Amino acid sequence: RLAFLIPHAITWAETVAAEVAETGIVLTATQLADAKTVGVQQPEKIRILMVEQFPLPEDAELRAVAEQLGFFDANMAGLTLGHAILIRQGCLTRPLLSHECRHVQQFEQAGSIAAFLPMYLSSIILVGYENCPFEQDARMYELL
């Protein structure tokens, strides 16, 4: 089912990223420096949107799979889609933002949301969120 759902996930992610690009806020000077420290090539493109609740995919099957994988639960504090970073209200910290900026670096390295998302989701399905190499990498770049 993943192969069928990936195009839907990419469309959803690109749509959300475009909305955050329009409505999100730019990084502060300190946040820009942190983004560069964790390897982001174009930190000036990053936009942050504070949310009470993460936007859910309209596609019911995609939403169900995302929830099964642990996305969008009450413990989720951040979500990165390209240069768009969504942070749950009250959760913005330097370690979280630098973790999410490392995901931006991963997107940049892959070249696009469409290139990165299939690799990321496949990894989550194969080894789980905690053991996902992309998450392990991002945890190593959490600045204190």
Side-chain angles (χ1 to χ4, degrees), residues 8-86:
H8 298 280
I10 291 169
T11 298
W12 171 81
E14 289 174 341
T15 300
V16 172
E19 291 170 3
V20 174
E22 293 290 321
T23 60
I25 59 172
V26 298
L27 298 179
T28 66
T30 301
Q31 292 167 336
L32 278 168
D34 285 350
K36 289 177 185 174
T37 297
V38 303
V40 176
Q41 296 299 306
Q42 297 179 302
E44 68 281 354
K45 289 187 173 185
I46 295 175
R47 297 294 180 269
I48 300 173
L49 182 65
M50 303 303 295
V51 297
E52 289 185 32
Q53 182 176 337
F54 292 99
L56 299 174
E58 290 182 18
D59 182 288
E61 188 174 5
L62 179 59
R63 187 172 53 247
V65 169
E67 289 171 351
Q68 283 178 333
L69 293 175
F71 291 101
F72 311 120
D73 71 7
N75 295 322
M76 188 171 156
L79 173 67
T80 298
L81 302 166
H83 287 95
I85 299 176
L86 295 90

Side-chain angles (χ1 to χ4, degrees), residues 91-105:
C91 294
L92 181 60
T93 63
R94 187 177 187 211
L96 175 62
L97 186 57
S98 57
H99 175 107
E100 298 303 329
C101 283
R102 186 61 182 180
H103 287 310
V104 171
Q105 184 274 338

Side-chain angles (χ1 to χ4, degrees), residues 78-130:
L79 173 67
T80 298
L81 302 166
H83 287 95
I85 299 176
L86 295 90
I87 303 284
R88 186 182 303 275
Q89 291 284 353
C91 294
L92 181 60
T93 63
R94 187 177 187 211
L96 175 62
L97 186 57
S98 57
H99 175 107
E100 298 303 329
C101 283
R102 186 61 182 180
H103 287 310
V104 171
Q105 184 274 338
Q106 295 165 355
F107 276 101
E108 287 180 337
Q109 188 172 25
S112 66
I113 289 173
F116 178 74
L117 207 52
M119 294 185 299
Y120 179 83
L121 293 175
S122 295
S123 179
I124 295 282
I125 289 169
L126 288 173
V127 298
Y129 179 83
E130 290 300 319

